Amino acid sequence: RKIAYLTDVEGRWDKLVDFCAGNPLVSLDAAGALRVADGALFVFGGDVCDRGPASRRLIATFLAAREAQPDQVVLLAGNRDINKLRLLRELDGQLIAESQ
């Protein structure tokens, strides 16, 4: 089984676009959805957000790909992703309360 591995996009959509350009295993369709070729496996190694402006778009794209092709998409959490999970605990829920 062939594997396509990507990590550290850090909120930059262009990194995903560049990775998919000419890639026989992983592509983006006209709507921007991630598609994995038959028989291939896509592994995202983490650090989806942080520096660039497209973090939410990337998260939604990876989650949709996982939902559409669950046997072909593996999503791992990177250190930057795990650090973000601490935010709610450290803010003691204040972020949620303020946004509602």
Side-chain angles (χ1 to χ4, degrees):
R1 188 172 195 183
K2 293 187 178 185
I3 299 172
Y5 180 80
L6 175 65
T7 189
D8 296 305
V9 293
E10 297 176 349
R12 292 188 45 206
W13 183 258
D14 62 303
K15 286 189 172 189
L16 179 60
V17 170
D18 289 347
F19 177 77
C20 292
N23 191 324
L25 303 179
V26 182
S27 61
L28 291 170
D29 68 15
L34 187 71
R35 301 286 179 228
V36 182
D38 291 340
L41 180 68
F42 171 68
V43 178
F44 180 73
D47 294 344
V48 70
C49 55
D50 204 12
R51 297 182 178 153
S55 294
R56 293 174 73 185
R57 182 179 183 189
L58 287 160
I59 291 168
T61 299
F62 291 145
L63 290 175
R66 173 83 173 125
E67 186 174 321
Q69 296 179 285
D71 296 332
Q72 292 180 265
V73 177
V74 176
L75 303 176
L76 304 174
N79 64 314
R80 292 179 189 274
D81 305 318
I82 292 168
N83 285 338
K84 304 292 182 288
L85 295 174
R86 294 179 21 220
L87 240 167
L88 290 178
R89 180 175 45 84
E90 291 176 0
L91 294 175
D92 193 32
Q94 293 175 28
L95 185 65
I96 292 174
E98 291 173 10
S99 67
Q100 294 178 353

